[in-house]
Amino acid sequence: MQEPIEQSGAGEPDNFRRLWTPHRMAYIKGENKPTGTGPGDGCPFCEIPGMSDQDGLIVARGSSVFAVLNLYPYNSGHLMVCPYRHVADYADLDDAETAELADFTKRAMLSLRKASGAQGFNVGMNLGHVAGAGIAGHLHQHVVPRWGGDTNFMPVVGHTRVLPQLLQDTRDLLTDAWPTA
């Protein structure tokens, strides 16, 4: 048996190594969450389009929607496709928004396959707080790349995601791989 490793600040020494993910605490505490359901209530999906692509982690912009990296990704390359318009329900999108959201979802998948060799995807929306939406007032479609064996002991046992790349580097790769119309 291995000797316990002394880890300052980690409590009693034990045989576990720890990966610290302090950036997750912002999400857990609800930092940067809207204060209400309206577009003027601090909605990040309303604020991001006003930022530079690099600062907002925007991968691509369309006329009705944009693709942006998730600040709290489930996997490397986790994108979201968001309409510019602050709307909560998929049924409230107009035809142009619906069509471009579908097109950008397809492009996101192509970009992720090209840039990272994604072997599969989880694609979907959580509409409403009861359905698990973290930001229920502004719909957004998740595009989460998957690879064989990507669910290992870290998220299952350790409740920790290991992201091998900085978000800005991921954004650059996906932007370069984004298919044009």
Side-chain angles (χ1 to χ4, degrees), residues 36-59:
T37 59
D41 293 332
C43 174
F45 301 132
C46 289
E47 294 173 359
I48 288 170
M51 299 177 183
S52 71
D53 289 356
Q54 290 76 20
D55 290 342
L57 297 173
I58 296 171
V59 174

Side-chain angles (χ1 to χ4, degrees), residues 2-154:
Q2 183 180 359
E3 281 294 312
I5 299 165
E6 194 69 37
Q7 294 186 345
S8 178
E12 294 297 316
D14 54 30
N15 286 325
F16 291 99
R17 296 194 185 271
R18 290 166 176 79
L19 290 177
W20 300 102
T21 56
H23 65 281
R24 293 286 301 164
M25 189 54 68
Y27 180 76
I28 292 166
K29 289 182 173 181
E31 291 177 19
N32 300 319
K33 284 227 177 183
T35 56
T37 59
D41 293 332
C43 174
F45 301 132
C46 289
E47 294 173 359
I48 288 170
M51 299 177 183
S52 71
D53 289 356
Q54 290 76 20
D55 290 342
L57 297 173
I58 296 171
V59 174
R61 294 176 189 256
S63 56
S64 299
V65 303
F66 62 99
V68 61
L69 284 176
N70 191 326
L71 275 178
Y72 309 103
Y74 293 117
N75 267 346
S76 290
H78 179 171
L79 289 169
M80 295 176 294
V81 180
C82 308
Y84 291 111
R85 188 165 63 97
H86 187 88
V87 58
D89 196 308
Y90 183 74
D92 292 335
L93 291 177
D94 64 30
D95 291 344
E97 290 166 327
T98 302
E100 195 171 44
L101 188 130
D103 179 58
F104 263 52
T105 300
K106 184 176 8 176
R107 289 188 203 196
M109 293 169 64
L110 292 169
S111 175
L112 285 159
R113 281 191 184 118
K114 182 177 179 182
S116 68
Q119 298 169 319
F121 297 90
N122 294 114
V123 176
M125 297 180 205
N126 301 321
L127 299 174
H129 285 293
V130 298
I135 299 173
H138 196 135
L139 79 82
H140 48 285
Q141 175 138 284
H142 294 266
V143 181
V144 182
R146 301 302 303 266
W147 299 268
D150 68 2
T151 301
N152 58 28
F153 74 96
M154 289 303 292

